[in-house]
Amino acid sequence: MAKKSLIEKVKLQTISDDCLMCVAEVGKQIPFPIKRVYYMVDSAPNLPRGYHTHKELQQVFFCIRGKMKMILDDGFSREEITLDDPSEGVVLRPMIWHEMHDIDKDTIMLIFASDKYVEDDYIREYATFKRLVDKKATK
Ligand code: TYD
């Protein structure tokens, strides 16, 4: 059986009149109750972000302006997606290492998260992440 892709896209409802409106609803495109929303603007040029995973947190990432590349990694394979469509998001499940690269100037990232900010939920060292996923895989 083919391995399931790490890239889980969501497509928002769009309404076009004299603007493009994108609508996200919990239970439709967002697969968890939203407890936190954050966004990022004014990214330093040529500076990748992310480089961590979360033990429990789930998130949906959107690039509502500009363009960026996202890498998702489950410890065994890496997949890449370019985000440049405000109506398209990527679901980030727990224990998926992620990196954002090639973030264009003026890019705006919008993120819906399943929980409030908990620093203890982060794993910021790839070797620690890899050890944990390897351990789980051998159980
Ligand atoms: P981080 O999640 O590491 O950002 P990125 O994945 O884009 O590199 O967060 C950067 C810093 O901001 C880090 O010190 C934690 C802090 N932070 C908060 O205090 N609250 C939050 O909700 C988030 C997302 C980050």
Side-chain angles (χ1 to χ4, degrees):
M1 201 174 71
K3 191 176 178 290
K4 203 168 150 251
S5 171
L6 299 177
I7 312 274
E8 200 181 323
K9 288 188 203 171
V10 296
K11 183 79 181 161
L12 299 187
Q13 179 196 358
T14 56
I15 297 147
S16 288
D17 42 31
D18 44 8
C19 75
L20 176 70
M21 186 187 288
C22 300
V23 183
E25 277 187 36
V26 171
K28 284 191 181 163
Q29 304 89 353
I30 309 300
F32 47 77
I34 298 166
K35 287 210 186 147
R36 178 169 49 118
V37 174
Y38 63 97
Y39 48 87
M40 288 182 277
V41 300
D42 294 342
S43 286
N46 307 316
L47 204 68
R49 302 197 61 92
Y51 288 87
H52 63 258
T53 185
H54 290 278
K55 297 175 202 162
E56 306 275 348
L57 187 73
Q58 302 193 65
Q59 303 187 89
V60 185
F61 268 74
F62 293 91
C63 177
I64 61 168
R65 172 67 72 215
K67 187 175 174 179
M68 66 175 187
K69 220 161 65 183
M70 227 175 146
I71 293 175
L72 275 64
D73 179 336
D74 64 358
F76 303 100
S77 60
R78 281 166 86 81
E79 288 180 44
E80 184 182 302
I81 182 171
T82 297
L83 289 182
D84 61 358
D85 175 345
S87 69
E88 186 180 273
V90 173
V91 181
L92 203 57
R93 300 291 183 183
M95 294 304 279
I96 299 290
W97 183 266
H98 60 284
E99 299 167 14
M100 283 84 85
H101 292 270
D102 303 339
I103 304 166
D104 270 7
K105 190 176 171 290
D106 299 333
T107 288
I108 302 177
M109 293 176 229
L110 172 67
I111 296 109
F112 298 140
S114 65
D115 206 352
K116 55 190 195 280
Y117 173 74
V118 180
E119 181 56 36
D120 266 4
D121 187 62
Y122 280 74
I123 301 173
R124 294 189 184 275
E125 276 185 11
Y126 192 88
T128 307
F129 161 66
K130 180 67 177 147
R131 210 175 319 119
L132 286 170
V133 290
D134 281 346
K135 194 169 154 196
K136 195 169 175 216
T138 55
K139 266 190 186 162

